[in-house]
Amino acid sequence: MADVNKVILIGRLTRDPQMRYTPTQTAICEFGLAVGRKFKTAAGEAREETAFIDCTVWGKGGEIFNQYMAKGKQVYIEGRLKFDSWEDKQGGGKRSKLTVVVDDFQFLGAPGDHQRGAAAQGGEEQDAGGTPPPPRQMNRSPARPAAGNQPQQPQQPPQAPQAPYGEEQAFNDDEIPF
């Protein structure tokens, strides 16, 4: 049977994400995730335990994660476990660490909850509601003809994506069959 290395977690960030770049300018975003579990002991006592997990997101996903996430925000992640081991420089012997390399993530919570103030960081401006501006569309058309050869058509601003369903399709948690 084949081996499987798949991790699915929902938790909250324990610290703000930290960005760095490799010498080839590949983004690396590192953050800590707290994942809680509530249970009852054999004596019926309610208990809670928390696991603290180090996570890494590479590339463009890491840049996006860093832009919108902050300490305390909730996130869903999918990824794989990675085991690193090294010799301690201060003579402390062999050290090791288990991390999650994130392949996919989804922000959880209200849409405005994931803004850290990109405008304050020199990023794009936000509206008063805390929502990010609509995504910019890339112009992937072939090279433009020289000016004066063809009349210019007015460009229309990009439109914000529509919600996948309207108010009439909203439901509450009691209506879910599981």
Side-chain angles (χ1 to χ4, degrees):
M1 177 174 217
D3 295 338
V4 176
N5 184 358
K6 178 89 171 173
V7 176
I8 299 174
L9 299 168
I10 295 178
R12 295 190 180 274
L13 273 64
T14 60
R15 61 184 184 270
D16 286 340
Q18 298 173 344
M19 275 298 288
R20 60 187 173 96
Y21 291 88
T22 64
T24 59
Q25 298 305 308
T26 301
I28 304 171
C29 180
E30 296 178 327
F31 62 96
L33 192 70
V35 180
R37 173 179 168 255
K38 294 180 181 180
F39 61 96
K40 288 190 176 185
T41 63
E45 179 185 349
R47 302 281 308 262
E48 184 175 345
E49 66 181 20
T50 305
F52 297 96
I53 303 158
D54 290 326
C55 303
T56 305
V57 186
W58 288 78
K60 184 69 174 170
E63 292 175 341
I64 293 168
F65 196 93
N66 183 59
Q67 180 180 0
Y68 291 104
M69 292 302 287
K71 179 180 178 179
K73 302 298 181 189
Q74 191 175 36
V75 66
Y76 166 90
I77 63 169
E78 290 183 26
R80 60 185 169 83
L81 292 174
K82 181 178 180 232
F83 183 77
D84 291 318
S85 61
W86 65 94
E87 290 292 328
D88 190 2
K89 292 180 182 177
Q90 283 82 26
K94 192 167 180 109
R95 309 271 300 176
S96 62
K97 179 177 173 180
L98 193 61
T99 60
V100 173
V101 177
V102 178
D103 296 324
D104 193 18
F105 58 86
Q106 184 171 359
F107 303 141
L108 301 177
D113 287 349
H114 300 288
Q115 298 300 315
R116 283 200 321 196
Q121 298 177 11
E124 297 179 14
E125 293 184 16
Q126 304 170 25
D127 66 9
T131 56
R136 294 184 177 164
Q137 294 180 350
M138 300 289 289
N139 184 2
R140 297 179 187 224
S141 61
R144 295 182 180 174
N149 291 352
Q150 289 185 341
Q152 297 246 347
Q153 295 182 357
Q155 293 185 355
Q156 296 183 6
Q159 296 194 355
Q162 296 293 323
Y165 38 80
E167 295 281 333
E168 69 279 353
Q169 293 179 344
F171 55 89
N172 62 34
D173 290 335
D174 296 333
E175 298 173 349
I176 300 174
F178 42 57

